[in-house]
Amino acid sequence: MALSATVYNLAIELANVDRSVYETLALRIARQPSESAEYLLMRVIAYSLEYAEGIELTQGVAAGDEPAIYIRDLTGHPLAWIDVGLPSAEHIHRGSKSAARSAIYTHRDVAQFLAQLQGKKIHQAAEIPIYALHRKFVQEVAQWIERRSELLVSVIDQELTITVGEKSLTTPINEHRI
């Protein structure tokens, strides 16, 4: 019998001062059996930081050719292709061609990731931001997330703070380009 996804219900108070986005989000997200807690958290972070009308999560690691997150207009056309982790150059290229804007969120070694992408064919590569978070930050916060959790997510001057219960941690959001 195949393992099924574990559903997380997250209540998120979002205060993104940098973008003037203040929302209360009720996020229902499925964690696939092959998905790490860190990858799940990165999807939650990317969703929170990219939050806009028309945003939707895909199936994460089970999404195949899709990104982790889409932002679509009212007709269903993708406006933004938001990916998480270390997507391949081909995946980034396809996403950049299919949406007006692309972005990548990672907690992996960004220098190594950029080296892997160097010289590869990627549509509008210079326009694609890669937002890198410290790996230890993501590992620590991922341990705090339970199937039902309340999170406070705030961004001020490119600094991300996540609070879960009595625990709080802050990290810079470092932007890189291909």
Side-chain angles (χ1 to χ4, degrees), residues 8-177:
Y8 285 71
N9 291 293
L10 305 177
I12 300 172
E13 286 297 324
L14 173 62
N16 190 333
V17 176
D18 293 357
R19 292 182 53 222
S20 297
V21 176
Y22 306 92
E23 294 287 338
T24 299
L25 309 174
L27 190 60
R28 185 174 162 91
I29 185 169
R31 178 179 173 190
Q32 302 300 324
S34 62
E35 184 174 3
S36 69
E38 291 85 4
Y39 187 86
L40 174 81
L41 178 61
M42 286 303 297
R43 289 199 299 141
V44 170
I45 290 170
Y47 183 92
S48 298
L49 300 185
E50 293 286 337
Y51 185 79
E53 187 175 331
I55 196 166
E56 65 182 65
L57 288 162
T58 65
Q59 295 179 352
V61 294
D65 287 342
E66 294 184 323
I69 299 165
Y70 275 119
I71 299 175
R72 299 181 189 269
D73 66 15
L74 294 175
T75 67
H77 180 75
L79 298 173
W81 173 290
I82 313 300
D83 230 325
V84 171
L86 301 172
S88 69
E90 296 80 19
H91 191 75
I92 299 166
H93 175 73
R94 186 173 41 256
S96 181
K97 287 185 78 168
S98 71
R101 187 175 69 81
S102 296
I104 300 165
Y105 287 81
T106 190
H107 65 292
R108 305 291 184 160
D109 183 343
V110 74
Q112 185 178 18
F113 181 45
L114 290 170
Q116 290 174 352
L117 298 176
Q118 198 65 37
K120 302 285 173 101
K121 180 182 176 187
I122 300 174
H123 182 72
Q124 297 183 335
E127 302 299 317
I128 302 171
I130 299 173
Y131 299 107
L133 304 178
H134 289 287
R135 186 178 189 122
K136 290 189 184 296
F137 169 87
V138 174
Q139 289 172 334
E140 180 77 21
V141 174
Q143 294 176 16
W144 304 343
I145 307 298
E146 297 177 7
R147 290 182 62 194
R148 293 192 186 283
S149 294
E150 294 180 6
L151 291 79
L152 301 174
V153 177
S154 64
V155 180
I156 301 172
D157 294 331
Q158 288 298 100
E159 291 247 326
L160 170 66
T161 301
I162 297 181
T163 304
V164 181
E166 299 295 316
K167 300 173 186 172
S168 185
L169 208 52
T170 300
T171 190
I173 303 168
N174 297 307
E175 183 177 335
H176 304 271
R177 299 287 171 153

